[in-house]
Amino acid sequence: MQHKERVFSGVQPTGNLHLGNYLGAITKFVALQESHECLYCVVDLHAVTVWQDPKELSHNIREVTAAFIASGIDPKAHIIFNQSQVAGHAELSWILNCVARMGWLNRMTQFKEKAGKHKENASVGLFTYPVLMAADILLYHATHVPVGEDQKQHLELARDIAQKFNVDFKEAIIASSNKEDGLFFPQPEPLIQGPATRVMSFRDGSKKMSKSDPSDLSRITMTDDADTIAKKIRKAKTDPEALPSEEEGLKDRPEAANLVGIFAALNNQSKTDVLKEYGGAQFSTFKPALAELAVAKISPIGNEMRRLMDAPDELDSILRDGANRANKIAEPILQKTKEIVGFIQ
Ligand code: TYM
């Protein structure tokens, strides 16, 4: 089947895959398979922008692969691969490093958060991380990128980089492709939708759920067993009020809003629908219902991930096959890019 629209997205193999990754990204990846040609990438080159233990990194690459498959991504109909096996990501990233401006990268909030007070000690890779992300997307001329809210600024940067390349090389683009519009890289469209685009920590409703939070109780991971999932929801921080019956009533109640959003996303509903049913209920009623739902949805995925992880060779061969197919799409686009820039091949 030929699709005009192509989806690309990535997940870092940095351990502790959590409910935010699942609801904010992976469930969207699964749904888009129906309508689009999809590439889902385990972004190992991004992971090493901060130190990774080599053994753990290999394990985590397989774990993200297993999470994709266990969640329902079909590696035959679509493409699952790890970034470092397709050299074009690093090659295009270099060219785009020469298009992006220092000033643009200096504004990236994720770099500021991750580098913290020790900016001078951060790796150079961490600084240019968003340029590699732009290369990931543009290497395939992807049109749609499903991500959580926290990636919005990076997606805007990818659009700016695509546009600057098109403007800087307009004449060469027209000369090399006879394309009158001079547009070589399409502007990728972010897909940030639904009730759980920013899942918050269970310990602090003002912080997003993250892989690196030192508290294990702050997140549900995709491999937590049923008892652990239920316990973490029981212990999740809340306020003493009953749930409101309208979404408006969740304003200034970040913990309540978070749990309602999670329920809605797990159950494929809107927050308004959830509140129609649970408005007026205490958390002593709502939390067990949420725990039951979360266990029903997440623990079978965790079980399937464990089963897949028992056959690492099969996962590795899925990644190799995916990389070969990804490379076939990337190669002509990279060649064209080099020709536009003026490199001799
Ligand atoms: P990563 O690995 O941090 O996260 C993977 C995906 O999960 C989403 N996410 C969340 N969604 C909702 N609530 C949360 N608390 C939450 N935490 C994480 C992220 O938004 C992301 O969609 N830079 C990317 C990986 C990447 C990429 C790309 C994505 C590399 N190249 C190209 C799209 C296109 C990242 O750090 O993801």
Side-chain angles (χ1 to χ4, degrees), residues 8-12 18 20-21 24-25 43 46 110 129 133 136-137 145-151 154-155 196-200 208-209 211:
F8 182 96
S9 197
V11 174
Q12 292 196 72
H18 54 71
N21 301 128
V43 289
H46 278 108
Q110 192 150 310
Y129 176 116
M133 196 168 145
D136 295 342
I137 300 164
V145 186
V147 282
E149 175 74 38
D150 62 343
Q151 296 302 312
H154 288 162
L155 260 293
T197 54
R198 189 174 173 82
V199 175
M200 307 308 277
K208 76 173 180 190
M209 186 176 281
K211 293 170 184 163

Side-chain angles (χ1 to χ4, degrees), residues 26-253:
I26 299 173
T27 55
K28 311 289 172 60
F29 299 179
V30 174
L32 285 159
Q33 294 180 106
E34 294 290 317
S35 49
H36 291 71
E37 173 191 13
C38 304
L39 293 110
Y40 296 126
C41 187
V42 186
V43 289
D44 46 13
L45 298 176
H46 278 108
V48 298
T49 56
V50 296
W51 166 253
Q52 303 296 323
D53 177 85
K55 275 208 188 73
E56 276 174 37
L57 179 61
S58 309
H59 171 90
N60 290 336
I61 292 170
R62 295 189 183 108
E63 189 175 78
V64 175
T65 310
F68 284 172
I69 299 168
S71 302
I73 296 169
D74 178 349
K76 289 214 164 70
H78 297 274
I79 295 179
I80 295 177
F81 72 109
N82 61 315
Q83 197 182 22
S84 61
Q85 288 205 63
V86 178
H89 291 258
E91 284 190 70
L92 182 59
S93 182
W94 181 260
I95 294 173
L96 299 183
N97 267 328
C98 305
V99 173
R101 305 288 94 181
M102 291 285 285
W104 298 359
L105 291 180
N106 271 327
R107 286 197 287 274
M108 294 293 115
T109 54
Q110 192 150 310
F111 175 76
K112 288 182 204 160
E113 275 164 31
K114 283 199 180 172
K117 290 194 194 89
H118 310 288
K119 207 169 132 203
E120 299 300 314
N121 279 338
S123 74
V124 177
L126 190 67
F127 186 66
T128 64
Y129 176 116
V131 180
L132 176 59
M133 196 168 145
D136 295 342
I137 300 164
L138 301 179
L139 183 62
Y140 301 95
H141 280 184
T143 54
H144 292 81
V145 186
V147 282
E149 175 74 38
D150 62 343
Q151 296 302 312
K152 193 165 178 237
Q153 195 185 32
H154 288 162
L155 260 293
E156 279 159 10
L157 183 86
R159 292 167 65 89
D160 289 344
I161 292 175
Q163 194 186 1
K164 182 158 164 40
F165 184 96
N166 289 342
V167 170
D168 288 356
F169 294 99
K170 187 163 189 188
E171 270 176 40
I173 292 169
I174 293 171
S176 81
S177 62
N178 294 323
K179 276 183 80 184
E180 283 303 310
D181 61 7
L183 294 180
F184 179 63
F185 287 124
Q187 293 265 297
E189 205 54 64
L191 298 173
I192 306 173
Q193 291 149 348
T197 54
R198 189 174 173 82
V199 175
M200 307 308 277
S201 156
F202 280 180
R203 300 271 86 198
D204 177 350
S206 69
K207 286 203 316 210
K208 76 173 180 190
M209 186 176 281
S210 95
K211 293 170 184 163
S212 55
D213 194 311
S215 166
D216 208 35
L217 285 174
S218 69
R219 64 184 158 255
I220 288 177
T221 69
M222 291 182 71
T223 45
D224 279 344
D225 62 25
D227 288 348
T228 311
I229 295 173
K231 181 183 86 184
K232 287 178 177 175
I233 291 177
R234 199 165 58 241
K235 295 201 167 190
K237 193 178 159 208
T238 46
D239 58 39
E241 308 292 321
L243 284 177
S245 35
E246 278 167 21
E247 215 181 311
E248 183 65 17
L250 290 172
K251 244 179 101 216
D252 304 322
R253 294 183 64 187

